[in-house]
């Protein structure tokens, strides 16, 4: 019995370490200066834009903005998947909702707060909303998969 309890505790610690590490990685990305961040996303955007000729009806700047926003959305969708999956395996149902909602609200706010104090970056309410939508989308995917499994 004692080994099983210890095993469960270790599993919980490992799973939540993944969530925290990923959250810190998001914060790390936001702490990169505007120059570093723009160079990275512009290089990636140029590569994609060059290969997808059919997208050339739109100006590169718009494409670049869309890529940046999609990056925000998808990085948070993964966070939503991680938090909802891991919380459902490690904490009681009552606390799950609270943890999921707090993570959805606090992480994007802290993230934009970091950007506010980072040279060449700015805090955008729009990005906060995009992050929350991405997170919600990740949560929704997890929820729908879970519903399907229980049928």
């Amino acid at each position: 019995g004692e080994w099983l309890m210890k095993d469960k505790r270790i599993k919980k610690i490992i799973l939540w370490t993944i969530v925290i590490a990923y959250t810190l990685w998001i914060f790390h990305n936001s702490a990169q200066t505007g120059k570093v961040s723009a160079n990275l996303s512009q290089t990636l955007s140029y590569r994609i834009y060059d290969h997808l000729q059919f997208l050339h009806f739109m100006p590169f700047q718009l494409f670049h903005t869309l890529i940046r926003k999609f990056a925000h959305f998808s990085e948070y969708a993964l966070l939503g998947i991680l938090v909802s999956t891991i919380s459902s395996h490690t904490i009681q149902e009552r606390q799950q909702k609270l943890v999921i909602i707090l993570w959805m609200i606090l992480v994007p706010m802290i993230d934009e707060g970091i950007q506010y104090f980072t040279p060449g970056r700015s805090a955008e309410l729009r990005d906060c909303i995009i992050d929350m939508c991405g997170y919600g989308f990740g949560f929704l995917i997890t929820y729908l998969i879970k519903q399907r499994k229980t049928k």
Side-chain angles (χ1 to χ4, degrees), residues 12-64:
K12 267 187 191 184
I13 292 167
I14 291 169
L15 290 173
W16 281 102
T17 301
I18 293 168
V19 171
I20 291 164
Y22 185 72
T23 303
L24 292 174
W25 179 77
I26 289 174
F27 294 159
H28 167 76
N29 290 341
S30 292
Q32 292 181 327
T33 61
K35 210 175 200 165
V36 171
S37 176
N39 281 343
L40 191 69
S41 71
Q42 237 168 350
T43 304
L44 183 66
S45 296
Y46 269 123
R47 287 212 176 117
I48 297 168
Y49 194 72
D50 271 349
H51 288 290
L52 303 177
Q53 299 293 320
F54 67 90
L55 288 173
H56 291 197
F57 68 89
M58 79 169 77
F60 175 74
Q61 212 41 55
L62 173 62
F63 179 73
H64 182 227

Side-chain angles (χ1 to χ4, degrees), residues 72-91:
H72 266 270
F73 186 88
S74 49
E75 122 185 305
Y76 273 87
L78 181 54
L79 184 65
I81 291 168
L82 283 174
V83 174
S84 52
T85 304
I86 290 171
S87 65
S88 73
H89 285 81
T90 56
I91 53 183

Side-chain angles (χ1 to χ4, degrees), residues 121-148:
R121 302 289 294 266
S122 62
E124 307 267 338
L125 180 61
R126 179 183 61 191
D127 284 349
C128 225
I129 292 166
I130 290 170
D131 297 345
M132 288 179 190
C133 289
Y135 183 97
F137 181 74
F139 170 78
L140 188 65
I141 288 172
T142 311
Y143 176 78
L144 292 174
I145 290 170
K146 209 184 301 172
Q147 291 304 96
R148 213 160 173 194

Side-chain angles (χ1 to χ4, degrees), residues 91-108:
I91 53 183
Q92 293 163 338
E93 213 168 327
R94 275 208 319 273
Q95 296 169 317
Q96 278 177 44
K97 290 180 184 115
L98 183 65
V99 168
I100 289 168
I101 290 168
L102 278 176
W103 225 271
M104 180 172 134
I105 295 168
L106 292 178
V107 174

